[in-house]
Amino acid sequence: MRLYKKEGDTLKILCFPGEEVEKGDYLAIEEDGRCLLVQVIDTQFANIPGMLEELLRDLAIRDVAEGEDVDALDVGSHLAYIQDARLLVCKVRGALKAGRPTVERWLPSRVHSKIRSLKLSELLDILGLPGELPIELGWGRDGSHVSIDAKDLDGRLNIITGKKGTGKSHLSKLLALGLVDYGATVVILDLNGEYVNLGYTPEGEKNEYYDRIVVLRPGGNFRVSLAQTSLKIIMGILVHTFGLPGTSAREFRRIWSHLKAQNNLSMKALGEAIRVWKCNELVRDALYSRYYALVSSGFFTDDDGEAVDLADVLKRLDGGGLLIVNLRDLSPSHRRMVVEYVLEKLVELLSSWDSGAIFLFAEEAHLYMRETYWDDVITRMRHLGVFTTFITNQPDSLGENVYRQADNIFLFNFTNQRDLEMVSRASSIDAETVKLIANELPPHHCLILGYVVRDHPVVVKVRALNVQTMGRTRLFFASMPIVRAARSSASQRAS
Amino acid sequence: MTAQLNYGSTPTYSFPSAELVPPEKFIELSLETLSNLNGSLRPILDPLEAQVDGLMEEPPLELAKPELRAIPLSPLREKCVVVASDSSSIKIGETRQGVLCAIRGAIVWRQGDKYRYLRVGPLPYHLTYESGARLLRRLQRRYLGVSGSLNTQNSSTMQIQLSAILDYWLQLSACRMFDYSVVLRDGSLTARRGDALGNALQKLLDTARGQGNTVLGLSKESRLRLNGYRISDLTSSCRPPYLLELKGLKPSRQLRLLGRVYLARLGLEPYTFRLDIDAGLDEHVGVDAVRRLLHNDTIVQGYPETLRLAHILSTFTAAEVIALQRYVCKRCGLEILPRPSIRRLLFGPYGTGWEGVA
């Protein structure tokens, strides 16, 4: 390999057949005890003079004539070698002086510098990774194990994104379980009910996480009483989820205060209070319709024995565990209501120091999280100790501010340039890297950007998990015997 | 209406005769000249500029008293093989002892709708003043088989002579491979007296005639001038295709005209070329050969496609020059040194520059 050109922080390196380098790989450019760490973000054919002419000639001749080359000295193989020469487009990621990271940059010599492939394990060593609390993610292209430090997710905002079927949910499960291993409390807003079996092995046996996982099914084993619910939470639900108008909200506030003063906060009492409350009939209708929405959700109960206290659940998971809120089979409005309750409750608990910091994993959050929450999540809630990981296949569903504030991005394949454009707004990485590497990532390969890799983007193949991940979509034609049976019965009918 | 070329591809392939054995002496001598090569190689800045296409430079001829006669042509519907050859040479670098050059040549023939070719090379040679002359004499003995001198004045002429000998071998092979065919060569049928290649040309024409072949020499650029004007600028009111016969050519004492000289416009496009037809044949036989050419080959922009393909196949590209440099460096353990550009060193805006480095 040979240094060819430098344009800004982009270096172009000539590479010949036999020197196997791919996108995402790191190279070390060494010279006089100094070393420049560069990452290959694109591979192109070297622009050799006359190459177009060469190819056109070859093509034109092959089209019209057939013959034989007496190339006794086999110069042709050297020509093929030249024709296959590649140009590696690289970004400078860091530098070392006497083996230690330095902020100094310099232009290496074309003649005297030596360029070699840098093993990923070597790079991670230089970066001091994985640190004290390693979470093993998988392998690099060269087979090096890649782990990140669980501490680097602490207090951070993370995004896992990529197109459908690339392995986003799988990675989120891996990270969540990795955090649990180190005693962290993780709350998962499980949109499709695909996290609920993490306590089982693929064979269906209980695994080491079984006792550390609590699955809450709203309306099932997750019901709450009004007495546990603060006015703020219930107002949030009524106003933001059920769109209660301002005037009606004011009346509701009065009713709530009245019931609270009487120490009579229950669904039954609330319904009765609305019925007899002196107010405009339109207001009463508005309150009634919201009240019945609450009732029909089955989320609220007057039975204290049935009601679940989130504080108690979190205490149970104190030594590390997963609290999975299964949002599957809930209508969109009920989903939003439950999430509103859970998030506000968490904030309440954290504000009163009744709970330690928690990690929140939110899959396709735009489907159940109101827009005003975005800023809340990345500012207020973060400071209170809710460290969120968003998982989405629609990057534009998260606001630009979320990307700008993101500390870590786990990026899977995207082919759509608009999606990549959105992700590239993350301030920690250049848009070129995102666009060029991410659009060619194979399934289950992830480009890690941000603090967890000390701003040295790393491509990793995510390892398998010994748990039931259930992240697959149920398919119509997957069950072939059914198809065959249907076909044979159809043919019988025909005969 | 725009004519659309319709080339047929060849589903099967076989050589017509056993004449086309690889020119072993060329290969052997190439390896021999490389065997003593060591040290360093200074590649030249723009090798394609130094590429020499075809034979020696055509000697200048002045047409004093013109006698022009237009001969209208129509395709003669007789099936025959059209065969063409071309060669080229290129300087690929300089060593401490001499120059490193390479040659390549190709024969292309058309039978029916199919084009076939044999390409020889590239063959690199290390030419020094002493070894170059010796090399050419050995090739002369082996392939030309005629007496006469070869121009070994400097490395450039030696390179051209080397390519010319390969071209001669290809043409002779072509003449022996086919009977009653039209043999096209790139260049005129003019020879210098006492020159080995001139004598070889005479021998080639004799061999061709013996096989019933007609040799036509087509020059892309002619130095033949009429009252100071290039003859290729002459046209006739005759409807193309036609030949314009140039009578009254009086070459200098050193030159021999081995062919009858015509100006040929073979297509509707306004391109004319000097065409030499073997003077040893009756005039009508020569003209009929051109008519057979019109029937049996595709004429693109007034130029036979067979000869065009031979030219394309033998020409070097920039990538091939780099490949040759790599081959030689790897084989002989040479180090490539950038050549200091005096012009850039003296006048370049950045003071220091090395040729060959972007």
Side-chain angles (χ1 to χ4, degrees):
Chain A
M1 280 181 276
R2 195 84 178 259
L3 186 59
Y4 166 60
K5 220 178 203 178
K6 182 178 183 296
E7 289 162 357
D9 64 342
T10 304
L11 289 180
K12 293 189 174 174
I13 292 170
L14 269 175
C15 166
F16 288 96
E19 298 170 320
E20 290 308 319
V21 182
E22 295 293 336
K23 276 187 187 185
D25 288 358
Y26 275 84
L27 304 174
I29 305 174
E30 293 165 333
E31 185 189 7
D32 299 335
R34 295 184 297 181
C35 175
L36 218 50
L37 301 176
V38 300
Q39 185 178 31
V40 180
I41 59 164
D42 198 14
T43 53
Q44 304 168 347
F45 283 116
N47 186 16
I48 294 161
M51 188 49 71
L52 182 63
E53 181 198 345
E54 177 79 40
L55 296 174
L56 284 174
R57 183 177 77 174
D58 214 41
L59 204 66
I61 294 293
R62 268 189 214 173
D63 263 6
V64 299
E66 194 172 296
E68 188 177 297
D69 278 297
V70 181
D71 180 13
L73 306 184
D74 194 25
V75 178
S77 65
H78 294 264
L79 178 62
Y81 185 82
I82 301 294
Q83 284 176 331
D84 284 340
R86 284 172 301 158
L87 195 66
L88 308 176
V89 182
C90 306
K91 285 275 179 197
V92 179
R93 300 289 184 214
L96 302 174
K97 200 172 181 180
R100 302 181 67 84
T102 172
V103 289
E104 274 180 45
R105 296 286 188 273
W106 67 94
L107 184 63
S109 158
R110 274 171 167 169
V111 183
H112 302 296
S113 63
K114 294 265 181 291
I115 302 174
R116 66 177 177 91
S117 279
L118 193 70
K119 284 200 86 173
L120 200 47
S121 53
E122 214 179 323
L123 174 76
L124 296 176
D125 274 350
I126 292 167
L127 300 177
L129 291 173
E132 288 174 37
L133 309 176
I135 298 176
E136 191 188 338
L137 294 188
W139 305 271
R141 207 179 63 85
D142 60 7
S144 304
H145 282 266
V146 179
S147 300
I148 57 166
D149 193 347
K151 278 185 171 176
D152 294 337
L153 300 175
D154 198 4
R156 311 276 168 186
L157 176 66
N158 312 304
I159 298 171
I160 301 175
T161 187
K163 68 180 179 190
K164 271 199 311 196
T166 49
K168 300 179 300 297
S169 303
H170 181 85
L171 178 68
S172 77
K173 285 162 197 159
L174 196 155
L175 289 177
L177 293 174
L179 289 166
V180 168
D181 284 338
Y182 294 113
T185 305
V186 179
V187 176
I188 295 174
L189 300 176
D190 184 5
L191 183 68
N192 299 312
E194 58 179 288
Y195 292 76
V196 295
N197 284 347
L198 289 181
Y200 297 92
T201 63
E203 293 77 33
E205 288 164 17
K206 290 176 187 174
N207 62 20
E208 71 266 34
Y209 299 107
Y210 181 81
D211 294 326
R212 289 194 274 170
I213 294 176
V214 173
V215 180
L216 296 181
R217 195 162 45 80
N221 66 347
F222 184 24
R223 305 182 80 184
V224 296
S225 66
L226 285 190
Q228 295 169 328
T229 312
S230 66
L231 176 63
K232 191 173 176 243
I233 294 176
I234 201 78
M235 286 305 291
I237 290 171
L238 292 176
V239 173
H240 298 300
T241 307
F242 296 120
L244 187 69
T247 320
S248 308
R250 271 198 301 279
E251 282 307 325
F252 183 83
R253 205 182 286 271
R254 282 195 203 110
I255 294 171
W256 183 273
S257 304
H258 171 73
L259 292 174
K260 195 167 184 189
Q262 290 183 345
N263 200 18
N264 188 22
L265 271 175
S266 69
M267 287 302 283
K268 193 178 169 193
L270 179 63
E272 187 58 25
I274 294 170
R275 193 176 67 79
V276 299
W277 199 256
K278 280 184 187 169
C279 62
N280 182 298
E281 281 306 305
L282 290 173
V283 171
R284 193 188 316 280
D285 281 350
L287 291 175
Y288 252 135
S289 68
R290 270 67 179 191
Y291 170 74
Y292 283 118
L294 294 178
V295 172
S296 69
S297 73
F299 185 57
F300 291 93
T301 177
D302 288 340
D303 181 353
D304 286 344
E306 211 179 32
V308 171
D309 188 354
L310 268 187
D312 291 342
V313 177
L314 291 175
K315 265 196 192 94
R316 258 169 59 200
L317 300 172
D318 227 6
L322 284 181
L323 169 59
I324 297 164
V325 182
N326 186 358
L327 302 174
R328 189 178 167 164
D329 301 330
L330 295 188
S331 69
S333 59
H334 290 165
R335 217 157 43 197
R336 281 200 297 275
M337 179 189 73
V338 172
V339 171
E340 187 91 30
Y341 177 86
V342 171
L343 290 181
E344 284 299 338
K345 194 73 189 169
L346 287 175
V347 169
E348 211 174 86
L349 294 171
L350 290 164
S351 307
S352 59
W353 294 90
D354 282 346
S355 167
I358 58 153
F359 293 89
L360 176 73
F361 282 66
E363 192 146 350
E364 302 303 351
H366 61 284
L367 295 178
Y368 48 78
M369 214 184 260
R370 64 182 156 90
E371 271 184 27
T372 48
Y373 257 121
W374 299 125
D375 289 330
D376 230 20
V377 164
I378 57 179
T379 54
R380 185 173 68 100
M381 289 172 77
R382 191 175 178 185
H383 286 114
L384 287 171
V386 179
F387 311 134
T388 312
T389 298
F390 289 113
I391 303 123
T392 183
N393 59 24
Q394 296 177 48
D396 51 359
S397 67
L398 303 176
E400 190 176 328
N401 51 345
V402 178
Y403 286 100
R404 288 204 183 280
Q405 295 287 329
D407 298 291
N408 302 304
I409 296 182
F410 299 87
L411 179 60
F412 287 83
N413 181 287
F414 267 125
T415 36
N416 188 315
Q417 284 298 312
R418 215 180 125 205
D419 290 336
L420 291 170
E421 196 79 53
M422 195 72 204
V423 179
S424 66
R425 289 178 189 173
S427 52
S428 64
I429 193 68
D430 59 290
E432 224 179 336
T433 300
V434 171
K435 287 179 190 166
L436 290 171
I437 297 184
N439 69 352
E440 284 183 21
L441 285 171
H444 308 297
H445 284 69
C446 163
L447 174 66
I448 308 175
L449 309 164
Y451 184 72
V452 276
V453 284
R454 306 290 180 271
D455 292 327
H456 286 66
V458 165
V459 176
V460 60
K461 182 180 182 190
V462 182
R463 70 178 171 91
L465 273 173
N466 191 31
V467 294
Q468 273 189 22
T469 49
M470 286 175 56
R472 293 193 193 122
T473 306
R474 186 166 57 186
L475 300 173
F476 181 77
F477 292 112
S479 177
M480 284 314 284
I482 296 170
V483 176
R484 274 196 218 103
R487 208 184 283 157
S488 64
S489 65
S491 62
Q492 272 170 9
R493 273 201 304 277
S495 63
Chain B
M1 193 176 74
T2 308
Q4 296 287 312
L5 292 179
N6 186 20
Y7 295 111
S9 60
T10 47
T12 55
Y13 174 76
S14 62
F15 277 119
S17 80
E19 281 293 336
L20 282 172
V21 285
E24 280 166 17
K25 201 73 180 171
F26 272 104
I27 299 162
E28 181 192 318
L29 290 175
S30 165
L31 293 172
E32 196 178 304
T33 62
L34 295 180
S35 64
N36 297 323
L37 187 56
N38 54 42
S40 57
L41 176 73
R42 288 186 188 278
I44 58 167
L45 192 58
D46 192 352
L48 297 188
E49 287 289 307
Q51 181 155 210
V52 182
D53 158 40
L55 300 174
M56 301 157 296
E57 196 177 273
E58 188 190 311
L61 269 178
E62 188 70 27
L63 191 61
K65 292 179 180 173
E67 283 180 49
L68 303 175
R69 182 170 68 97
I71 305 168
L73 296 173
S74 59
L76 185 60
R77 300 187 183 282
E78 265 179 30
K79 288 222 167 195
C80 77
V81 175
V82 176
V83 53
S85 75
D86 199 2
S87 70
S88 63
S89 65
I90 196 159
K91 185 174 163 184
I92 54 179
E94 287 172 4
T95 64
R96 205 167 282 176
Q97 302 88 12
V99 298
L100 199 64
C101 69
I103 58 169
R104 180 158 66 185
I107 308 177
V108 179
W109 63 96
R110 178 169 170 153
Q111 265 178 312
D113 289 341
K114 298 161 189 171
Y115 286 102
R116 288 166 180 173
Y117 71 86
L118 172 82
R119 181 158 59 165
V120 178
L123 294 167
Y125 292 89
H126 182 226
L127 299 178
T128 62
Y129 184 72
E130 303 80 28
S131 73
R134 207 164 48 240
L135 165 85
L136 288 171
R137 275 198 299 277
R138 288 168 74 182
L139 288 173
Q140 178 185 2
R141 268 200 304 278
R142 172 70 179 81
Y143 292 111
L144 301 185
V146 290
S147 60
S149 63
L150 286 167
N151 188 350
T152 56
Q153 213 171 21
N154 55 44
S155 61
S156 300
T157 55
M158 284 194 280
Q159 177 189 322
I160 295 167
Q161 304 271 308
L162 195 58
S163 164
I165 296 174
L166 176 65
D167 203 22
Y168 172 79
W169 175 81
L170 291 168
Q171 285 165 24
L172 198 63
S173 301
C175 288
R176 286 172 179 163
M177 271 164 65
F178 300 101
D179 298 331
Y180 304 102
S181 61
V182 177
V183 179
L184 299 173
R185 68 176 244 132
D186 183 23
S188 70
L189 299 181
T190 312
R192 287 180 198 275
R193 291 183 195 279
D195 180 43
L197 284 164
N199 295 341
L201 179 58
Q202 181 66 66
K203 187 180 157 190
L204 173 82
L205 295 175
D206 294 342
T207 308
R209 255 177 264 128
Q211 299 269 118
N213 296 323
T214 307
V215 177
L216 307 179
L218 215 63
S219 309
K220 289 187 287 294
E221 281 192 31
S222 177
R223 297 179 73 187
L224 187 59
R225 288 179 179 272
L226 173 66
N227 296 331
Y229 294 97
R230 290 193 315 180
I231 63 156
S232 53
D233 294 341
L234 295 178
T235 51
S236 162
S237 55
C238 189
R239 184 182 160 78
Y242 61 82
L243 292 177
L244 210 55
E245 188 182 3
L246 305 172
K247 282 190 171 172
L249 277 175
K250 291 203 174 123
S252 65
R253 276 189 194 166
Q254 297 93 36
L255 295 182
R256 282 186 294 158
L257 288 180
L258 302 179
R260 286 191 193 86
V261 182
Y262 297 87
L263 194 68
R265 187 173 170 189
L266 302 179
L268 292 173
E269 299 85 354
Y271 304 120
T272 53
F273 303 97
R274 172 180 166 176
L275 175 71
D276 288 25
I277 304 176
D278 180 9
L281 296 168
D282 286 343
E283 194 179 336
H284 73 91
V285 176
V287 172
D288 281 354
V290 182
R291 293 176 62 207
R292 279 193 287 150
L293 170 72
L294 292 176
H295 177 64
N296 290 285
D297 200 4
T298 308
I299 306 295
V300 182
Q301 291 176 324
Y303 201 73
E305 181 67 358
T306 318
L307 194 53
R308 194 178 75 92
L309 287 174
H311 176 77
I312 291 171
L313 280 164
S314 61
T315 311
F316 288 94
T317 61
E320 283 170 335
V321 174
I322 299 170
L324 278 160
Q325 286 167 352
R326 182 173 187 269
Y327 167 79
V328 174
C329 289
K330 213 161 178 197
R331 183 180 179 88
C332 309
L334 297 186
E335 186 190 357
I336 290 194
L337 292 181
R339 175 202 294 264
S341 165
I342 299 300
R343 180 175 290 272
R344 260 211 265 175
L345 281 168
L346 292 176
F347 311 119
Y350 302 107
T352 56
W354 296 87
E355 287 187 4
V357 175

